[in-house]
């Protein structure tokens, strides 16, 4: 039993939910992070507003060359969606590796990005995909790029009263190969280090690369130095190794009981190489 | 708060505090002690039940979140005293030792075959990632799921 009492509302509409959240209510989606935090007394909300049961936040659709995913779409539904698997395979692969089946059945994409755990899987993919988040408040709506969204450990660009309403990711074209490679923290499944990669290769030359890194720093980031190092090359083994070598340059790496900062940086380089080679093998 | 839900086919209506976890509701209010509390920290899977056809850790859900849902616990698998094929398979293959993890293991195993009737051993193991067993070393559990798949569970 959670020691502290609280109020619970399952609103019928998004408008009703946003009204209560504007007044200080705390969003509850899958509860896969919030409920454990409440048990540990790290969170003690007065009023939970259950977004998880709002049907109109649970969708995946293709529109204008992008996939639009409602915030309460579960990891399981992202991972098993034919649309996501076909058109944004990096996201499907990432979702399929979050935690375990029971966690994926409840946890949501909106909850995961809003929570911004520095070891969460989705944020790496979001950086590599240059995803956009639609943030909605009772009287406002704005769209924020992933690059401007993840600010610090458990800290995002969300303002009080705002929720993540939708996640927008691109539809890949035929030239792109993608891969997510993570060093799994065995007990929970979280990433000690996770590397999300997209590479476009045409006529044997890398046109562009995108590399998102989670687990290493206070928040997921795009390793643009690696991306620059790859552009224009053919993606041979030496070129990949040289480009990957700088993935952790200038980064203040996390250190905890799972891995020291130095070891994390080492893991990041090794697994960036693996992720790049796997993604390259999937390019045309 | 009043909740109305179906548990193992039977309708229940109860007044509960929002902070009551689903596992405690099932065990202490409804009296279904099949689902176990192993860790209460979302890691062991002993509390796994089905909620609207999906395996969930009932220690990481409030009872109020199950309002209106259709819940199945291990007690609800047998029909008229005839065990579910997954229960038969765990029995035949010695998938249980002390039995503490077994109710959750069987519910998670059932989900594996519901989604993929012919899993590989690798897929079976991935499907049981959220469940911990201290006794069996898992091999007999994997054997049980494989046997149930063969039997067309
Ligand atoms: C055993 C276990 C293993 C896990 N393993 C992994 C793993 O390997 N990788 C990984 O990435 N994650 C892992 N997780 C975390 C999981 O992915 C959570 O689902 C996710 O972090 C939070 O999503 P949720 O929907 O459950 O959010 P909740 O727990 O409901 O909420 C989390 C936070 O976000 C806020 N929030 C929720 N929805 C919104 C919204 N739409 N807009 C704004 N704020 C919102 C809440 O108020 C709360 O502060 C694991 C969790 C568990 C219990
Ligand atoms: S008691 Fe629920 S996961 Fe262990
Ligand atoms: S049989 Fe004892 S914990 Fe699994």
């Amino acid at each position: 039993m959670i020691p502290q009492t609280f109020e619970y509302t399952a609103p019928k509409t998004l408008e009703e939910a946003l009204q209560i959240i504007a007044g200080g209510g705390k969003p509850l989606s899958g509860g896969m992070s919030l409920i454990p935090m409440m048990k540990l007394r790290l969170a003690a909300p007065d009023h939970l507003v259950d977004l998880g049961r709002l049907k109109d936040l649970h969708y995946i659709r293709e529109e204008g060359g992008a996939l639009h995913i409602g915030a309460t779409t579960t990891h399981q539904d992202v991972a098993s969606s034919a649309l996501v698997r076909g058109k944004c395979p990096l996201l499907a692969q990432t979702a399929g590796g979050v935690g375990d089946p029971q966690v994926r059945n409840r946890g949501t994409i909106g909850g995961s990005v809003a929570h911004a755990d520095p070891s969460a899987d989705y944020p790496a993919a979001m950086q590599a995909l240059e995803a956009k988040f639609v943030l909605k408040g009772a009287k406002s709506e704005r769209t924020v790029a992933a690059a401007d969204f993840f600010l610090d450990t458990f800290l995002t660009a969300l303002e009080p009263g705002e929720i993540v309403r939708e996640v927008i990711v691109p539809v890949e074209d035929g030239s792109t190969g993608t891969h997510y490679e993570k060093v799994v923290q065995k007990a929970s499944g979280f990433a000690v280090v996770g590397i999300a990669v997209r590479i476009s290769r045409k006529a044997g030359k890398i046109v562009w690369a995108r590399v998102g890194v989670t687990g290493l720093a206070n928040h997921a980031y795009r390793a643009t130095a690696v991306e620059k190092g790859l552009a224009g090359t053919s993606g041979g083994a030496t070129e990949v190794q040289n480009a990957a070598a700088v993935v952790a340059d200038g980064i203040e790496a996390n250190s905890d009981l799972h891995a020291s900062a130095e070891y994390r940086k080492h893991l990041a380089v090794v697994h960036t190489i693996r992720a790049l080679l796997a993604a390259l093998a999937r390019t045309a | 708060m009043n909740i109305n839900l179906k548990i193992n086919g039977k309708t229940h209506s109860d007044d509960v505090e929002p902070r009551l976890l689903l596992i405690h509701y099932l065990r202490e209010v409804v009296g279904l002690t099949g689902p176990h509390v192993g860790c209460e920290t979302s890691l062991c899977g002993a509390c796994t039940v089905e909620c609207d056809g999906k395996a969930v850790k009932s220690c990481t859900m409030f009872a109020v979140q199950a309002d209106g849902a259709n819940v199945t616990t291990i007690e609800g698998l047998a029909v008229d005293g005839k065990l579910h094929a997954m229960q038969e398979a765990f029995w035949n293959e010695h998938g249980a030792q002390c039995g503490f993890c077994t109710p959750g293991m069987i519910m998670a195993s059932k989900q594996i075959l519901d989604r993929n009737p012919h899993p590989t051993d690798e897929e079976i193991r991935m499907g049981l990632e959220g469940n911990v067993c201290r006794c069996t070393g898992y091999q007999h559990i994997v054997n049980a799921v494989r046997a149930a798949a063969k039997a067309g569970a």
Side-chain angles (χ1 to χ4, degrees), chain A residues 26-27 29-34 75 99 107-108 112 114 120-121 164 188-190, chain B residues 42:
Chain A
K26 175 92 173 141
S29 288
M32 291 298 110
S33 294
L34 185 52
H75 308 332
T108 70
S112 179
D121 294 304
V164 176
S188 68
F190 274 98
Chain B
S42 331

Side-chain angles (χ1 to χ4, degrees), chain B residues 2-22:
Chain B
N2 189 257
I3 57 171
N4 294 283
L5 66 168
K6 252 197 181 142
I7 305 170
N8 300 332
K10 218 174 129 222
T11 307
H12 289 259
S13 177
D14 285 293
D15 210 21
V16 298
E17 276 194 79
R19 62 180 172 154
L20 184 69
L21 294 168
L22 180 58

